[in-house]
Amino acid sequence: MKRVIEGATIWDGADSLQHDGAIVIDDGRIEAVLTRAERNQYPLPARVDRIDGHGRLAIPGLVNAHTHLYSSLARGMALPGYAPESFTQILEQLWWRLDKALDPESVRMSALVGAMEAARCGVTTLVDHHASPHAVGGSLSAVCSAVNHDVGLRGVFCYELSDRDGAEIRDQGIEENLRFLSADGETSEMSAGLFGLHASFTLSDESLQAVADRIPEGVGIHIHVAEGPEDEEQCHATHGTKVVDRLKRYGLLRERSILAHCLHVDEDEKDAIAASKAIVVHNPRSNMNNAVGVFDMEGFLNRGIVVGLGTDGLGANMLTELFTAGVLQKLTTGDSLAAGFSDLQKILFDNNPHIAERLLGVKVGRIMPGHASDIAMFDYEPPTPVTAANVLGHLLFGIAVNDLRVSELIVAGRSVIRDHTFAGVDEEAVYEQARSTADALWKRAA
Ligand SMILES: [Zn+2]
């Protein structure tokens, strides 16, 4: 059945905004975007599903270009003896303790809760980086099923290959990536796979060679690059090269590869990334929380590199992440005009949808005819005029800083959230189950 959103303020994700407009959705695609006058003339069938848009701002569904759904049940976890003195120790004392304790049930619940929280924030596509070293086999299918089928979001999935847990678990990681890429992960508009790698400093040459030998043609990697200074230091000391050059040596700097962070790469490495057309994803709140460094936003954008934005598993809200990306640049450069609206809009509303399109083969990120009908709607009564020229100001200084949640979320034409309520999952029941799953997980991780 066709669906029509009536009476909303509609921003197309680029340069057009209209009040009291309508969006006609047919079979997962946007068929038409209409003004109030056009709406009355438009031929609609007798049976049509009408969604009330009055008092609501409709924007393109958001993309999170780097996250870890497996971190969803870490919230509030006690960490006896937690006293990291470096980024590597943060991984050892927190994240690797948590991921070793994940079993199939906690993998599934983490993905479910993480995807639901993303949906509440207007996210329609997640690019996930998964690790569960004692529950590797089948884990990507479990995460994909929770994201795609239970909640109804699009997703790109990979398993975090690493040598940190020994050769046997590393080999399971290789097989899990390949299995998902060849079976469940066959690219559809809802789901795709990447080959996941943890980071250069936890991967031996033997492991990278195995990836180089077995990664399918055209598939990208998804890896953390120079997140902390030790990634580059270890690479230089052990391999006599830089992280980006090491990946290039194995043929892994590819157009569909995602390099998360890239905080400590040098100018030559940025040039090499630009030449390869690989994707770089910035995660400002995670970087600040781990005290690992500041992203050179201008340096990457000026080279024409596709800079995307992710949360790195710290929260799910892409608009507050974008707000933080802006204020972090202003603070660290001492320039209140740094990271202007045009850069921020480009990152979240051009580059992130472009990343989703590159990986999933679906046109998202615009409310325009022919694009996928991925739409987020906020109950938003603006106290000041909203125009195409200032809508980003409303998103950052109204919706983001006030942490507003969506009232409607549509992915591929289907309602994920309808009038504030999840369409496919019982939120109360999931959260109750999640608390007991988390309790058991924390006991295993202690
Ligand atoms: Zn990450």
Side-chain angles (χ1 to χ4, degrees):
M1 196 192 326
K2 282 192 189 184
R3 313 185 74 189
V4 58
I5 299 168
E6 296 173 308
T9 298
I10 301 162
W11 179 47
D12 69 350
D15 53 10
S16 160
L17 181 136
Q18 56 178 300
H19 298 280
D20 201 4
I23 306 167
V24 181
I25 297 167
D26 185 31
D27 197 25
R29 293 278 181 274
I30 293 169
E31 178 180 295
V33 182
L34 309 168
T35 63
R36 187 186 165 83
E38 290 167 339
R39 203 161 100 199
N40 299 327
Q41 312 296 321
Y42 197 83
L44 283 172
R47 281 191 67 228
V48 60
D49 181 23
R50 293 175 190 276
I51 298 170
D52 186 11
H54 292 91
R56 290 172 166 177
L57 173 64
I59 67 168
L62 302 169
V63 177
N64 186 345
H66 176 75
T67 192
H68 302 277
L69 294 172
Y70 76 80
S71 71
S72 303
L73 301 184
R75 189 184 307 171
M77 185 170 76
L79 294 164
Y82 184 70
E85 289 176 8
S86 67
F87 175 61
T88 305
Q89 290 184 4
I90 294 176
L91 296 176
E92 288 166 351
Q93 295 180 22
L94 170 55
W95 298 112
W96 295 350
R97 239 158 96 181
L98 176 81
D99 70 21
K100 281 188 188 52
L102 288 166
D103 64 2
E105 170 62 9
S106 45
V107 166
R108 192 183 77 85
M109 285 309 296
S110 302
L112 199 49
V113 167
M116 289 168 76
E117 301 215 320
R120 282 273 181 221
C121 298
V123 170
T124 49
T125 302
L126 290 164
V127 183
D128 190 53
H129 196 272
H130 176 70
S132 51
H134 295 295
V136 180
S139 60
L140 294 182
S141 300
V143 175
C144 173
S145 172
V147 172
N148 274 182
H149 300 118
D150 296 337
V151 182
L153 306 187
R154 301 181 200 273
V156 179
F157 306 96
C158 72
Y159 187 86
E160 175 183 304
L161 188 70
S162 169
D163 287 309
R164 67 179 152 98
D165 299 303
E168 194 181 323
I169 289 175
R170 177 205 59 189
D171 291 345
Q172 289 173 12
I174 293 174
E175 296 308 322
E176 181 62 6
N177 277 303
L178 293 172
R179 186 195 63 73
F180 186 77
L181 282 163
S182 64
D184 306 61
E186 267 186 36
T187 301
S188 69
E189 291 191 348
M190 290 301 289
S191 146
L194 290 170
F195 203 115
L197 306 177
H198 172 247
S200 172
F201 74 98
T202 68
L203 286 160
S204 63
D205 284 339
E206 184 195 337
S207 298
L208 286 183
Q209 189 59 54
V211 176
D213 290 343
R214 301 191 64 187
I215 186 171
E217 181 90 23
V219 169
I221 59 166
H222 187 178
I223 184 170
H224 299 101
V225 170
E227 179 173 2
E230 51 266 63
D231 199 12
E232 290 287 1
E233 288 162 12
Q234 192 269 1
C235 194
H236 184 73
T238 311
H239 308 290
T241 187
K242 301 169 190 172
V243 172
V244 170
D245 293 341
R246 187 169 182 234
L247 296 175
K248 190 177 166 190
R249 188 188 292 170
Y250 289 98
L252 300 174
L253 281 192
R254 300 175 167 199
E255 243 184 273
R256 288 191 176 162
S257 290
I258 294 183
L259 316 179
H261 304 294
C262 294
L263 300 182
H264 300 277
V265 298
D266 68 15
E267 301 304 299
D268 291 341
E269 288 177 287
K270 288 171 199 166
D271 289 340
I273 293 169
S276 74
K277 299 191 169 63
I279 296 157
V280 169
V281 176
H282 176 36
N283 306 269
R285 291 192 294 193
S286 164
N287 296 161
M288 293 164 74
N289 189 51
N290 290 329
V292 282
V294 179
F295 183 66
D296 175 19
M297 188 185 285
E298 206 180 283
F300 284 93
L301 287 175
N302 285 348
R303 284 174 168 84
I305 293 167
V306 176
V307 174
L309 189 72
T311 61
D312 204 18
L314 200 171
N317 192 321
M318 294 306 298
L319 292 172
T320 51
E321 196 74 40
L322 189 68
F323 180 85
T324 308
V327 294
L328 174 61
Q329 293 296 318
K330 294 175 199 306
L331 177 69
T332 52
T333 60
D335 176 3
S336 71
L337 296 177
F341 276 10
S342 66
D343 284 350
L344 295 180
Q345 184 170 326
K346 182 185 176 68
I347 288 172
L348 187 58
F349 292 98
D350 294 345
N351 292 356
N352 271 21
H354 174 77
I355 293 165
E357 184 176 345
R358 208 184 270 191
L359 301 176
L360 288 159
V362 61
K363 283 175 108 59
V364 297
R366 293 287 181 268
I367 301 184
M368 289 177 184
H371 281 69
S373 50
D374 291 10
I375 299 166
M377 290 170 67
F378 296 87
D379 286 352
Y380 184 59
E381 199 60 63
T384 55
V386 184
T387 66
N390 75 9
V391 66
L392 202 72
H394 283 269
L395 292 174
L396 294 177
F397 294 93
I399 289 173
V401 299
N402 293 315
D403 205 14
L404 302 184
R405 303 301 162 100
V406 298
S407 47
E408 303 277 341
L409 190 76
I410 296 170
V411 181
R414 293 183 290 270
S415 279
V416 168
I417 294 173
R418 182 83 192 251
D419 199 13
H420 302 273
T421 304
F422 277 98
V425 275
D426 179 342
E427 189 173 26
E428 215 174 298
V430 168
Y431 274 61
E432 192 180 327
Q433 176 64 40
R435 283 189 289 274
S436 98
T437 303
D439 191 47
L441 172 67
W442 293 359
K443 287 189 176 114
R444 290 196 300 275

